[in-house]
Amino acid sequence: MTQSIFISGAAQGIGAAIARLFYQKGYKVGIYDINAVQAQQLAEQLGSNAKAGLLDVANYEDWQNALAEFSTWAGELNILVNNAGILYSGDFEKTDIQAHHRTININVNGVLNGCHAALPYLKQASFARVINLSSASAIYGQADLISYSASKFAVRGITEGLDVEWQKYGIRVLDVMPLFVQTAMVKDMDAGTIQNMGVKLKAEDVAAQIYKSATAKDRVTLPTHHPVGFEAGVMYHLSRFSPQAVNRISNLFLSKKK
């Protein structure tokens, strides 16, 4: 049976790049997004092995309906990619509290909803894996990106916990941790970190890592976290060994606005 992948927030950006790559690799691809029209346009561009649908990731009932529809169409659900997310940047106190709450609702509750609703389908599949979109912002809390960074720390925690808990089902739960990616989400960002480090990754770079993580053999040595790009890799590995004071000082330096 042809394997399948279900991607949230797949109508554009990283999600669309994931959909294109996996389609090229012969997968049945689920392109689900709150922008159903744009999702359908991408599915039509790709071909008959792509299916699009409406999904507000903050709505659990939407997840139930979308996954039931997709699994019936695809035959089984093999890979779930929790990609949907939003970002607000700028001074914490100058960002509306509703924006902070919306970030948590979509970036965190969206992942919780997706994993919870997908488990019955993943348990029935011949092969099953979950890939969550975390971020290099989950390595150390980021100034000017407070709620986004916090949401990605939560995604990291969800990933680590479920990767252990779902071993009993033979399901690995992994994440990818890119730095800033050239998508609409980072346009006009008000954060010192992006000014100092720039935007070097493309959506296709993240998609390539997700494909690698999704298809890697399930060995004991297969890591849970997968930094994307040289800078994210350096930040991740250094943070594991350097003192907290050094991590704080380096982030103070990187967060200074020009």
Side-chain angles (χ1 to χ4, degrees):
M1 178 184 291
T2 301
Q3 289 197 353
S4 70
I5 180 171
F6 182 104
I7 310 156
S8 70
Q12 61 182 335
I14 294 172
I18 298 166
R20 292 188 184 97
L21 177 59
F22 277 82
Y23 193 92
Q24 291 168 5
K25 298 293 185 179
Y27 283 73
K28 292 182 177 178
V29 177
I31 302 167
Y32 283 75
D33 200 283
I34 197 166
N35 188 333
V37 173
Q38 194 172 2
Q40 182 60 42
Q41 290 172 347
L42 178 57
E44 290 173 359
Q45 289 173 15
L46 292 180
S48 60
N49 270 355
K51 181 172 181 58
L54 173 68
L55 174 63
D56 175 357
V57 295
N59 185 317
Y60 188 72
E61 187 177 352
D62 267 18
W63 272 105
Q64 291 177 306
N65 293 336
L67 288 167
E69 174 189 79
F70 176 75
S71 296
T72 298
W73 173 79
E76 65 178 20
L77 172 63
N78 299 111
I79 302 168
L80 168 66
V81 179
N82 284 304
N83 167 72
I86 62 170
L87 179 152
Y88 292 95
S89 63
D91 295 347
F92 174 75
E93 67 275 15
K94 292 180 181 178
T95 302
D96 290 341
I97 193 62
Q98 290 82 5
H100 289 301
H101 290 174
R102 184 167 181 258
T103 300
I104 299 301
N105 200 26
I106 293 174
N107 294 8
V108 180
N109 292 342
V111 173
L112 289 172
N113 287 341
C115 290
H116 194 278
L119 181 58
Y121 301 100
L122 295 169
K123 286 168 64 177
Q124 296 172 5
S126 55
F127 169 86
R129 188 161 290 180
V130 177
I131 311 291
N132 295 324
L133 265 291
S134 184
S135 168
S137 296
I139 297 171
Y140 195 92
Q142 294 297 299
D144 305 314
L145 298 167
I146 302 302
S147 52
Y148 177 79
S149 182
S151 74
K152 294 306 181 178
F153 269 94
V155 171
R156 178 174 177 169
I158 293 166
T159 302
E160 290 176 352
L162 286 182
D163 194 33
V164 173
E165 184 174 333
W166 285 1
Q167 282 290 291
K168 60 190 175 187
Y169 303 128
I171 301 170
R172 292 299 307 270
V173 182
L174 312 174
D175 67 24
V176 294
M177 306 176 77
L179 203 55
F180 304 114
V181 184
Q182 295 173 15
T183 66
M185 193 166 75
V186 303
K187 187 178 180 181
D188 300 324
M189 270 183 55
D190 179 19
T193 310
I194 194 169
Q195 294 173 10
N196 290 307
M197 299 193 72
V199 183
K200 300 175 182 177
L201 291 175
K202 297 180 180 179
E204 290 76 15
D205 298 323
V206 182
Q209 178 58 63
I210 289 174
Y211 181 77
K212 185 178 178 180
S213 299
T215 57
K217 292 185 178 180
D218 184 13
R219 300 188 177 95
V220 175
T221 54
L222 177 63
T224 304
H225 305 299
H226 299 264
V228 184
F230 176 77
E231 290 87 352
V234 170
M235 292 169 61
Y236 177 71
H237 292 295
L238 285 179
S239 70
R240 298 167 61 195
F241 303 108
S242 58
Q244 288 188 33
V246 173
N247 293 334
R248 181 176 183 274
I249 291 169
S250 63
N251 276 273
L252 277 170
F253 174 77
L254 288 172
S255 65
K256 287 184 178 180
K257 295 181 181 179
K258 297 177 180 179

